[in-house]
Amino acid sequence: MKELVVISGKGGTGKTSVTASFAVLAESAIVADCDVDAADLHLVLEPEEVKREEFYSGKLASIDNDACSGCGLCAEYCRFEAIKETPQGRYVIDPNNCEGCGVCVQFCPSQAIRFENRLCGEWMLSKTRRGDMAHAKLGVAAENSGKLVSTVRKNAQKLATENGVSLIIIDGPPGIGCPVIASLTGASKVLVVTEPTVSGAHDMKRVLKLARHFEISAAVCVNKWDLNADMTAAIEQTAQELGATLAGRVRYDTSVTKAQIQRKAVVETESPAAEDIRILWKNIVADI
């Protein structure tokens, strides 16, 4: 089983547009949207939900006011300032600030603080016009997105095994943090989609170094390359110096936006960018 992870280092480079087109071009593949903080692959592939489950991770403290003596030790010991005293002299915990460390539970003399599993979001299995899809949605102000990403990948791997599919295409999150690490560890190939800007070049370097740290083969694609040909050339040179291969370029094309409005992948339209992505896909398939 092969896993192709499409990442970007930064948001807004066109990563999801490329992933959606790959899902259409693949003869048989499972698609996984691991950008759980801001999932949007479903906007193009229009999945029909088959299964939905709540995702619990970590702990969340809450105070039983009937048992609370009002001593205030919990607020005193909470280093995250998640516990506040109300005008009525009661203590409440702000779930958005609670880190689930358990200090308040440990030192409460009245044992009035509950410490329950925290609901962080939900994960889904769906059918799309291009096959099965695993995806998820992280809750508002929730953490542990890396664990939710791992859950999505495991669901995608299970779908691939059950359906005899040998390729998983993953839409990874931007950046280089925990969600990205959870998306790419153990993957077969990483495609970095970047743009010809200073920030695009900077963040591409960071994510390529991350891929190299985990010894994962990486390739680079410059999206909207023709907006700054000189910067594109510099980015491609840097990518090769960091051990990445050059998978292709995608030109700037207003048809991309039009396709998104129509809830279509770029390659489901006749446009110059669509042809560029088809060439990009051929290069990636040949490499993995």
Side-chain angles (χ1 to χ4, degrees):
M1 184 187 302
K2 300 289 186 179
E3 291 186 71
L4 169 64
V5 185
V6 184
I7 53 178
S8 59
K10 67 178 290 294
T13 63
K15 164 182 61 63
T16 299
S17 296
V18 170
T19 303
S21 287
F22 282 1
V24 170
L25 293 171
E27 292 183 4
S28 178
I30 301 297
V31 183
D33 190 348
C34 287
D35 190 1
V36 298
D37 293 85
D40 55 7
L41 188 58
H42 62 281
L43 298 176
V44 177
L45 296 183
E46 296 186 291
E48 181 181 340
E49 190 176 300
V50 174
K51 184 177 182 180
R52 178 185 292 258
E53 294 282 348
E54 293 180 333
F55 173 73
Y56 289 86
S57 184
K59 297 287 186 177
L60 177 64
S62 60
I63 298 175
D64 181 354
N65 286 309
D66 292 332
C68 178
S69 64
C71 68
L73 280 176
C74 56
E76 180 181 342
Y77 285 126
C78 182
R79 63 178 296 181
F80 303 105
E81 299 182 351
I83 305 176
K84 303 293 184 182
E85 183 179 8
T86 69
Q88 294 76 29
R90 293 178 176 270
Y91 287 88
V92 295
I93 298 177
D94 183 350
N96 292 330
N97 289 335
C98 177
E99 291 289 326
C101 66
V103 168
C104 57
V105 180
Q106 180 70 29
F107 288 98
C108 178
S110 304
Q111 297 183 334
I113 301 179
R114 294 185 293 267
F115 204 43
E116 300 171 334
N117 291 331
R118 183 169 196 156
L119 177 62
C120 293
E122 52 193 5
W123 57 263
M124 295 79 75
L125 301 179
S126 300
K127 298 283 187 182
T128 77
R129 62 183 181 275
R130 301 307 300 179
D132 292 331
M133 177 178 177
H135 50 131
K137 181 179 181 181
L138 191 69
V140 176
E143 296 186 6
N144 294 310
S145 56
K147 292 184 178 180
L148 185 52
V149 166
S150 296
T151 298
V152 172
R153 284 189 67 186
K154 289 177 182 177
N155 287 339
Q157 291 163 0
K158 184 178 179 181
L159 285 172
T161 300
E162 291 174 349
N163 293 281
V165 176
S166 60
L167 176 63
I168 299 174
I169 302 173
I170 298 173
D171 185 16
I176 60 170
C178 179
V180 180
I181 293 171
S183 295
L184 61 82
T185 49
S188 308
K189 186 75 177 182
V190 168
L191 173 64
V192 180
V193 179
T194 188
E195 59 185 14
T197 63
V198 174
S199 59
H202 173 268
D203 292 341
M204 179 203 67
K205 290 180 186 177
R206 297 197 307 164
V207 79
L208 283 178
K209 290 178 180 178
L210 182 67
R212 186 170 63 181
H213 173 78
F214 288 104
E215 299 181 348
I216 302 172
S217 174
V220 169
C221 165
V222 183
N223 189 25
K224 308 174 191 172
W225 73 269
D226 48 336
L227 294 182
N228 192 331
D230 292 339
M231 177 63 79
T232 295
I235 285 175
E236 291 177 337
Q237 180 178 345
T238 300
Q240 290 179 307
E241 290 172 354
L242 291 173
T245 59
L246 304 180
R249 295 175 172 181
V250 179
R251 75 196 82 181
Y252 175 74
D253 188 351
T254 57
S255 298
V256 174
T257 302
K258 294 177 182 177
Q260 292 172 338
I261 293 172
Q262 297 171 13
R263 294 179 176 266
K264 291 183 178 180
V266 180
V267 295
E268 292 178 302
T269 67
E270 294 298 326
S271 65
E275 183 57 33
D276 292 340
I277 295 176
R278 290 188 184 97
I279 294 172
L280 173 64
W281 171 247
K282 290 180 180 178
N283 293 337
I284 290 294
V285 170
D287 201 21
I288 62 174

